[in-house]
Amino acid sequence: MTMEATIHLAGIVTLAGAVLYAIADILLLAFNVGPLQEIPSTAIDFETSERWKRRASMLTCMSKMPWKRLVAGGLLGVCMTPFVMSGAWVLYHALAPAGPWFSVPVALLWLAAYPIGAFIHGSFIYFGGSVHGWNAATGEIKAQLGDILYRMLRVLLFSYVVFFALAIATSVWYVVAVLQGTTALPTWMAIMNPALMTVVYMFLARRVIPFRVIKYVQGAGFNIVYIVFFALLLAFVW
């Protein structure tokens, strides 16, 4: 297999992985479309609880997700991680003409970020299942489960912070590389970086795109951005 063929194959695999990763996000986080389950009457009111109101949306989401949907979304994301990680090969070759100081760090940062994404996806299975048990519990055990959930949530949120920090670092280094003007990409591709595209997507999702549309892809914004990003990359290195 030629070098060119490996780049093309890696790009196709990455795109397929990103599409399936987006589906995994929808399974886990799109809590306004079915199949869903009822929140039991024994659950606390997340919106009015001083401890939980800042995370009411996430807790409501987990409470509505059936166990099988949590498992499907979590495992699909974990299994697709190696597919999306192959995008590092495409990134490297797209930036390689600018030299190793620009191409290698971007590829390595990409490779570093996605195992954390796999951890986050897998964690939703256990976090969501624990929310189900907490909702159904009564008495003293409910308070104990609440303490455990609070610690689990802090770990999950910390993982998100690390993932997004790596994603931002990848985008910044990518922008600097593309602006050198010596990569395989046109300089205007600098603005088509994942971090900026995610901000634009979030603005459109909240201010422009009607909720009746966006609810079907709720939670999948980051991977929708990556689908667009790698489709563009692949077009220029094909």
Side-chain angles (χ1 to χ4, degrees), residues 30-230:
F31 65 95
N32 289 293
V33 292
L36 301 171
Q37 66 183 19
E38 292 292 328
I39 301 177
S41 59
T42 49
I44 68 168
D45 187 341
F46 307 129
E47 297 286 352
T48 58
S49 169
E50 193 63 34
R51 187 180 194 183
W52 299 106
K53 63 183 180 182
R54 291 181 60 190
R55 306 301 171 199
S57 179
M58 179 180 284
L59 291 170
T60 301
C61 173
M62 293 294 99
S63 298
K64 288 184 173 183
M65 292 298 164
W67 171 248
K68 290 183 179 179
R69 184 168 165 179
L70 286 172
V71 172
L75 290 181
L76 183 58
V78 170
C79 293
M80 287 302 104
T81 297
F83 286 62
V84 182
M85 288 176 70
S86 67
W89 189 238
V90 183
L91 265 174
Y92 169 77
H93 283 282
L95 303 178
W101 283 106
F102 294 108
S103 57
V104 174
V106 174
L108 291 178
L109 284 166
W110 179 267
L111 289 174
Y114 258 88
I116 298 172
F119 171 80
I120 291 170
H121 267 258
S123 296
F124 270 115
I125 300 173
Y126 306 104
F127 179 68
S130 298
V131 171
H132 294 173
W134 177 52
N135 285 338
T138 56
E140 186 178 342
I141 189 66
K142 193 176 191 73
Q144 294 174 355
L145 286 173
D147 290 337
I148 294 171
L149 274 175
Y150 188 75
R151 293 195 291 270
M152 292 173 70
L153 184 57
R154 290 179 69 180
V155 171
L156 191 57
L157 293 176
F158 176 76
S159 302
Y160 267 113
V161 170
V162 175
F163 178 83
F164 285 123
L166 288 169
I168 291 170
T170 303
S171 293
V172 170
W173 214 307
Y174 161 85
V175 168
V176 172
V178 174
L179 289 178
Q180 300 303 307
T182 55
T183 68
L185 306 172
T187 53
W188 63 263
M189 273 292 289
I191 64 171
M192 303 300 288
N193 66 82
L196 181 58
M197 290 171 69
T198 299
V199 172
V200 172
Y201 174 88
M202 290 172 63
F203 173 79
L204 293 175
R206 295 183 180 184
R207 303 286 185 178
V208 179
I209 304 173
F211 179 73
R212 66 178 181 274
V213 175
I214 207 68
K215 70 178 182 180
Y216 290 101
V217 292
Q218 203 167 7
F222 211 64
N223 281 293
I224 290 172
V225 164
Y226 277 146
I227 292 168
V228 176
F229 177 64
F230 271 99

Side-chain angles (χ1 to χ4, degrees), residues 1-7:
M1 183 179 288
T2 65
M3 182 68 72
E4 188 179 56
T6 65
I7 299 168

